[in-house]
């Protein structure tokens, strides 16, 4: 494991306000993380790009935003009460608890460090005990309180609204329902920073197709390709991405087939999106059908699902974009993902006319792009600070600006500077970013 890189990412996230340990002033809480000012921008940009490509740029997908807590009957019908479980073992030597899996030594995709720790005293494990991953909550103020669950996958919110969506929109099979939202799992071993958390966000598409093996396979392949392309289009290194097909023995209870998109993280190849053929599992369990208005044919559609993790994508975009040399640390984030698109500096912070002009440019640009004003330290330090958080452009207002209304604009990746008219800034930056 490249522990060094992981340590650097964790430290940068804390130092620069991307990700903080949850409830840190009370000693933290395992498996929960808070996103700081830059983290929330990055995460929102990832979600916005996903929504744009999955909903706005398609005519066959609509969105939904379902409640986190649903009638517990949903989880009975979906099979999660029975089958959404992990087996847990305890090591009799170090008393650590681990998720038990048969192929713990061989699995090339598990997180390496954890695997080493886990296998150290394998012969002395207790027998595996099975635990459900759903998080219980209790509703109401009088006893007995009503037991419910925080959703373990956002997915079911799309299925329970299937009829509402078909009747309130003009969707026709094949079509999809997209959703982004929080999910909760009582993970036995949270770890690897945000990778395995107990509260996390998912971005999912449930795509409904004709009930035929061949049709489902066609869409499964199509969605696999689309999803891989999306990560690459936002700058993720293709060489660090791969698909991994699930063996029959590891398929989730709802899946007929599944392939993960994995990233080569410092802790080993790791899943951050799953493409699943859920067949008619969910709709038939919820007793839901689709009626074709033209033909009158009624059937239970099959579902192809793309289920991505927002937090894991955020982590892998951060890791993938990290670059350092002797002089600087740079997050080479795609401009559409970068928290700030542009930073504006006065050359000297003690010259009121430079400050006034820089603040005016900041105000004008912030109507178009997420912009930051920085007047601290010297120019070198400001460039260093903006590179480290991935800001693609830095604008400096100097004495020449006061004479001819031009500024220098510096490119994060090439470090080249150009002098341009302030009136051309929006179109210059817009062309490179949008
Ligand atoms: N609806 C299908 C589903 O939930 P999954 O493979 O269990 O499938 C999908 O989860 C994605 O959700 C994963 O690829 C991962 O990105 C994210 N995810 C799952 N468990 C997670 C956890 N404990 N922490 C962070 N992300 C998680």
């Amino acid at each position: 494991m490249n522990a060094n890189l992981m340590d650097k990412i964790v430290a940068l996230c804390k130092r620069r306000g991307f990700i903080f340990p949850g409830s840190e002033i009370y000693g933290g809480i395992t498996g929960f993380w808070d996103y700081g000012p830059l983290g929330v921008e990055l995460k929102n940009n990832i979600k916005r790009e996903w929504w744009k490509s999955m909903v706005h740029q398609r005519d066959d997908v609509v969105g939904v935003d379902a409640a986190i807590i649903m009638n517990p009957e949903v989880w009975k019908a979906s099979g999660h009460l029975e089958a959404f479980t992990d087996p847990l073992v305890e090591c009799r030597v170090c008393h650590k608890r681990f998720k038990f899996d048969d192929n713990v030594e061989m699995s090339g995709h598990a997180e390496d460090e954890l695997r080493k720790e886990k296998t150290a005293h394998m012969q002395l494990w207790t027998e595996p005990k099975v635990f459900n991953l759903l998080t219980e909550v209790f509703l109401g103020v009088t006893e007995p309180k009503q037991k419910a669950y925080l959703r373990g996958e956002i997915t079911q919110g799309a299925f329970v609204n299937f009829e509402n969506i078909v009747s309130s929109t003009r969707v026709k099979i094949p079509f999809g329902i997209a959703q982004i939202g929080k999910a909760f799992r009582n993970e036995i071993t949270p770890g690897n920073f945000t990778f395995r958390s107990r509260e996390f966000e998912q971005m999912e598409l449930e795509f409904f197709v004709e009930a035929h093996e061949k049709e489902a396979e066609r869409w499964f392949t199509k969605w696999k390709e689309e999803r891989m392309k999306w990560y690459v289009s936002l700058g993720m290194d293709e060489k660090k991405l791969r698909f991994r097909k699930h063996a029959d023995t590891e398929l989730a209870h709802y899946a007929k087939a599944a392939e993960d998109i994995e990233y080569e993280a410092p802790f080993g190849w790791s899943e951050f999106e799953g493409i699943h053929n859920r067949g008619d599992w969910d709709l038939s369990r919820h007793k839901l059908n689709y009626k074709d208005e033209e033909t009158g044919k009624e059937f239970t559609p099959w579902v192809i699902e793309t289920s991505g993790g927002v937090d894991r994508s955020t982590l892998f975009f951060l890791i993938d974009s990290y670059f350092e040399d002797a002089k600087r640390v740079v997050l080479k984030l795609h401009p559409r993902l970068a928290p700030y698109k542009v930073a504006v500096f006065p050359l000297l912070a003690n010259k009121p006319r430079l400050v006034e002009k820089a603040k005016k440019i900041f105000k004008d640009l912030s109507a178009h792009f997420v912009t930051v004003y920085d007047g601290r330290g010297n120019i070198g330090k400001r460039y260093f600070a903006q590179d480290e958080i991935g800001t693609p452009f830095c604008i400096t207002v100097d004495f020449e600006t006061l004479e001819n209304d031009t500024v220098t604009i510096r490119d994060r990746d090439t470090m080249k500077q150009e002098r341009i008219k302030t009136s051309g800034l929006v179109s210059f930056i817009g062309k490179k970013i949008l």
Side-chain angles (χ1 to χ4, degrees), residues 153 155 185 187 195 197 202 204 271-272 305 307 309 312:
E153 58 168 7
T155 329
R185 291 184 192 176
E187 294 284 358
F195 181 79
S197 305
Q202 295 184 309
E204 288 195 342
E271 171 212 341
F272 67 119
E305 168 183 76
S307 177
R312 289 188 185 176

Side-chain angles (χ1 to χ4, degrees), residues 103 105-112 115 242 244 262 268-269:
N103 58 352
E105 276 184 307
M106 284 86 78
S107 62
H109 62 279
E111 300 105 90
D112 291 344
R115 184 156 11 112
R242 72 177 188 192
R244 192 185 68 83
E262 293 188 333
W269 284 96

Side-chain angles (χ1 to χ4, degrees), residues 69-72 75 135-139 146-150:
I69 297 177
M70 291 184 268
N71 187 316
W75 301 109
T135 313
E136 294 174 0
V137 284
F138 294 88
L139 306 175
Q146 186 195 348
K147 184 157 107 176
Y149 303 92
L150 299 178

